[in-house]
Amino acid sequence: MALQRCKNGHMFSEKKHGKICPYCNIAIGPEKGETTEDPLGQYTESYLDELEDKKRVVGWIVCVSGASKGKDYRILPEKNFVGRSPDMDIRILGDNSVNARNHAIIMYDPEKNHTVVLPGDSQGLVYKLDSEDSWEVVYEPKELSSGDRLKIGGSEFIFAAFCGDNEGFKFNWRDFDNE
Amino acid sequence: MNNRYQIGNAQIIGCREIQSNYFATVFNENDDLLAVLADGTIDHPNGRAAAMMAVEICTNTFRQRFAIVQHEHGNQFLFDTAMKANSRIQETFYFGRSPRVSLAMVLFIGDKLQYFNVGVSKVLLYNGHNERTLGNVTSGSYSSGICEFPQGSIAGLFSAGAHANVHPMERLKIIESKKEVFDKAQAVIDTVRKKGLDNQMNATALLVEAAR
């Protein structure tokens, strides 16, 4: 019996199943000298895994305390909604004291090239560590600079800027768009 | 295929609507072999997805990392990989009912095998005329260990549906027959199919033989 092995290591009979693995639907590669035509068909459309992320990163928050300790979250231009739901831009998992939706908003303003934190429209509060090392509730937009600490639910984060004026390092994607 | 190990596999869906068993075998650049079998929650869409995710995480981690892990740390590698798979599943299927996944992994290095098993799947070793269950898994725990895997031995990863519905004597008779290992796996699953049980679960048999 002519046995084939797909790249996931599934063994199957070529006589019975042809060149497509019955377990994972992967087409087995061509032998030397064969054409590279995909037996599953030629794709002309784009698929989910081929979508490019058109938005560019402008900064990060890194969890330093809480359920997601060590995890980083990308901040993209304009509003980034923070919560636990899958539709949130920054999704913090494992900390149930973070509200499901809109616990906080981290916003990057491309015009002014700076990042601010805003309270969300949910019940939870957002805190920012002030210069006297005490947690201050965020009631209105507060500008963030690298090293600022935020408390959202039971988790603590440090902000790291990429765009903006960051102690001498100045970056704005617009400078690169005009080149 | 590698000459050191022969691989056979077979699978049926049974009476279920979703095939939630998934498996893979993968060699790394050192010709070590990892065989993985995951069994997700019965008839639950997330069960199938979680099983596939578990297997892919295990195989990818093995491909990328195992070459730089010392062989004597194989058991730790298997445990760490299983924990990684679990954490990714919990993170991905955060909402709704969490899928429960049985995961059996066997790592073949030269004439030894190292295994890790959690859940209802079984890892069996055929050496000579005996069938030996590797580790005794109890609910909420896992088993792992290392044992000899000399030439001619066969290791089998069986999902619950394949293990529970074939008598050990039937299995032993098939394994001892003079067939190729692929045909042996097919014969085990054929035995399950022929019984035509009303409540037959997904059944998968994955066999690896150390070439003589």
Side-chain angles (χ1 to χ4, degrees):
Chain A
M1 191 191 301
L3 289 179
Q4 292 290 349
R5 184 171 190 269
C6 76
K7 72 170 191 178
N8 287 323
H10 303 132
M11 305 294 296
F12 61 97
S13 161
E14 187 179 349
K15 193 178 167 189
K16 201 169 166 186
H17 300 286
K19 295 231 176 235
I20 298 173
C21 173
Y23 302 104
C24 60
N25 288 334
I26 283 180
I28 53 171
E31 296 293 325
K32 279 181 186 168
E34 283 186 31
T35 60
T36 53
E37 189 183 345
D38 183 354
L40 294 174
Q42 292 294 327
Y43 296 136
T44 52
E45 304 293 330
S46 289
Y47 287 85
L48 187 61
D49 60 335
E50 293 162 353
L51 287 180
E52 283 180 35
D53 191 354
K54 301 285 185 199
K55 288 193 170 180
R56 294 148 172 185
V57 68
V58 297
W60 302 268
I61 55 169
V62 180
C63 182
V64 290
S65 169
S68 306
K69 188 174 177 179
K71 192 168 168 60
D72 64 309
Y73 303 88
R74 293 174 54 161
I75 298 171
L76 302 176
E78 300 174 346
K79 285 183 181 174
N80 296 262
F81 294 93
V82 182
R84 285 183 290 120
S85 293
D87 58 337
M88 293 290 102
D89 302 299
I90 294 175
R91 190 178 171 208
I92 298 163
L93 293 176
D95 183 353
N96 286 342
S97 55
V98 176
N99 288 155
R101 305 186 77 249
N102 304 347
H103 190 124
I105 302 165
I106 297 174
M107 189 190 79
Y108 169 74
D109 179 353
E111 295 295 333
K112 291 185 178 169
N113 193 25
H114 71 171
T115 307
V116 293
V117 59
L118 296 87
D121 59 4
S122 67
Q123 222 174 3
L125 295 174
V126 192
Y127 296 87
K128 182 174 178 281
L129 199 67
D130 64 14
S131 53
E132 292 164 4
D133 271 0
S134 65
W135 289 109
E136 196 181 338
V137 180
V138 176
Y139 292 117
E140 54 190 17
K142 282 196 185 295
E143 190 167 344
L144 292 173
S145 54
S146 282
D148 280 350
R149 294 171 88 104
L150 297 172
K151 192 155 84 172
I152 302 171
S155 302
E156 214 177 298
F157 301 86
I158 290 183
F159 171 74
F162 180 55
C163 289
D165 192 354
N166 186 14
E167 292 180 4
F169 172 73
K170 213 170 185 178
F171 185 86
N172 191 343
W173 280 113
R174 288 194 171 182
D175 300 339
F176 283 78
D177 290 339
N178 297 333
E179 276 183 4
Chain B
M1 202 198 313
N2 183 295
N3 292 326
R4 213 161 60 177
Y5 305 108
Q6 302 295 319
I7 300 164
N9 52 251
Q11 190 174 64
I12 53 165
I13 193 167
C15 301
R16 308 299 181 194
E17 291 179 0
I18 296 169
Q19 175 58 271
S20 52
N21 289 357
Y22 193 65
F23 64 94
T25 56
V26 57
F27 290 96
N28 70 0
E29 56 198 33
N30 296 343
D31 277 351
D32 305 323
L33 170 67
L34 177 74
V36 195
L37 169 64
D39 186 353
T41 317
I42 294 166
D43 274 356
H44 188 291
N46 282 354
R48 166 78 177 168
M52 291 185 77
M53 179 179 269
V55 169
E56 289 200 356
I57 289 168
C58 294
T59 53
N60 286 341
T61 309
F62 175 71
R63 278 194 189 104
Q64 292 159 9
R65 277 193 39 213
F66 189 69
I68 55 170
V69 174
Q70 297 289 322
H71 284 173
E72 58 264 34
H73 298 142
N75 272 330
Q76 186 62 41
F77 171 81
L78 293 176
F79 179 77
D80 290 347
T81 307
M83 293 302 285
K84 182 179 172 185
N86 180 43
S87 122
R88 286 285 302 281
I89 288 168
Q90 296 298 326
E91 190 178 306
T92 306
F93 302 105
Y94 185 73
F95 286 86
R97 184 175 140 207
S98 291
R100 307 200 72 187
V101 179
S102 298
L103 182 68
M105 284 189 276
V106 183
L107 185 55
F108 299 88
I109 305 166
D111 58 355
K112 286 196 166 45
L113 71 76
Q114 302 186 40
Y115 63 93
F116 175 95
N117 189 12
V118 60
V120 293
S121 301
K122 296 279 181 190
V123 180
L124 305 178
L125 180 64
Y126 297 90
N127 199 345
H129 302 291
N130 299 317
E131 175 184 288
R132 182 179 149 208
T133 304
L134 296 182
N136 290 312
V137 183
T138 52
S139 178
S141 180
Y142 71 92
S143 64
S144 68
I146 182 166
C147 62
E148 298 292 327
F149 190 57
Q151 291 181 353
S153 305
I154 294 181
L157 289 77
F158 296 92
S159 67
H163 178 263
N165 297 331
V166 183
H167 192 274
M169 291 309 291
E170 288 177 302
R171 224 166 22 228
L172 199 56
K173 196 175 164 190
I174 293 167
I175 299 291
E176 284 186 340
S177 63
K178 289 182 179 174
K179 291 176 180 170
E180 292 290 322
V181 70
F182 179 80
D183 296 326
K184 289 177 183 176
Q186 298 287 329
V188 170
I189 294 301
D190 272 347
T191 308
V192 176
R193 185 187 287 119
K194 280 174 190 165
K195 290 187 178 175
L197 299 175
D198 290 340
N199 58 349
Q200 176 61 50
M201 295 185 283
N202 300 152
T204 302
L206 175 57
L207 302 179
V208 177
E209 181 174 14
R212 289 174 196 276

